[in-house]
Amino acid sequence: IQGTIRPHAIIILPNTSGMELLLAYEDEGIYIDIYGHFTKETVLQWGEMPASVAYLQSNQVMGWGEKAIELRSVDTGNLEGVFMHKKAQKLKFLCERNDK
């Protein structure tokens, strides 16, 4: 990647004893270990550039984009749900509370 990289989140993957991470930046995410080595060849690819990204206890990652909220599996990066919205804004915090 050339130029400035826009990071979103560093997610510690469950069941890895803190040794594996999902690094979310720009419109993708990569899986690495704490030493910087790739742990999966899979790349999480967002449908649109998210403004904010958050990890959910349901083992999903949520990305808030300009037109939609995408839910993706943390383990595989597969799309599991899309919620369309009309209010495009940059959120200071994006999180889960009481399963919502």
Side-chain angles (χ1 to χ4, degrees):
I1 296 179
Q2 295 181 0
T4 304
I5 297 173
R6 193 168 94 192
H8 298 298
I10 299 172
I11 299 165
I12 299 170
L13 297 176
N15 304 320
T16 64
S17 301
M19 298 293 288
E20 294 183 25
L21 311 166
L22 170 61
L23 301 181
Y25 62 94
E26 298 295 330
D27 64 345
E28 64 185 23
I30 58 170
Y31 298 88
I32 63 169
D33 62 19
I34 60 171
Y35 305 106
H37 302 113
F38 291 101
T39 59
K40 296 182 183 181
E41 292 184 23
T42 305
V43 174
L44 184 148
Q45 188 71 49
W46 298 102
E48 65 175 332
M49 177 80 75
S52 302
V53 173
Y55 173 73
L56 306 178
Q57 291 180 6
S58 58
N59 206 27
Q60 295 173 313
V61 65
M62 174 174 49
W64 178 283
E66 190 172 319
K67 297 178 183 174
I69 299 168
E70 294 182 34
L71 295 175
R72 294 188 172 271
S73 166
V74 168
D75 294 325
T76 64
N78 292 338
L79 183 64
E80 295 185 347
V82 176
F83 301 95
M84 303 304 291
H85 65 81
K86 295 179 182 177
K87 190 172 184 180
Q89 67 185 44
K90 170 81 171 143
L91 303 175
K92 188 169 185 178
F93 299 103
L94 181 63
C95 61
E96 174 184 39
R97 182 174 180 185
N98 298 329
D99 295 329
K100 294 182 180 171

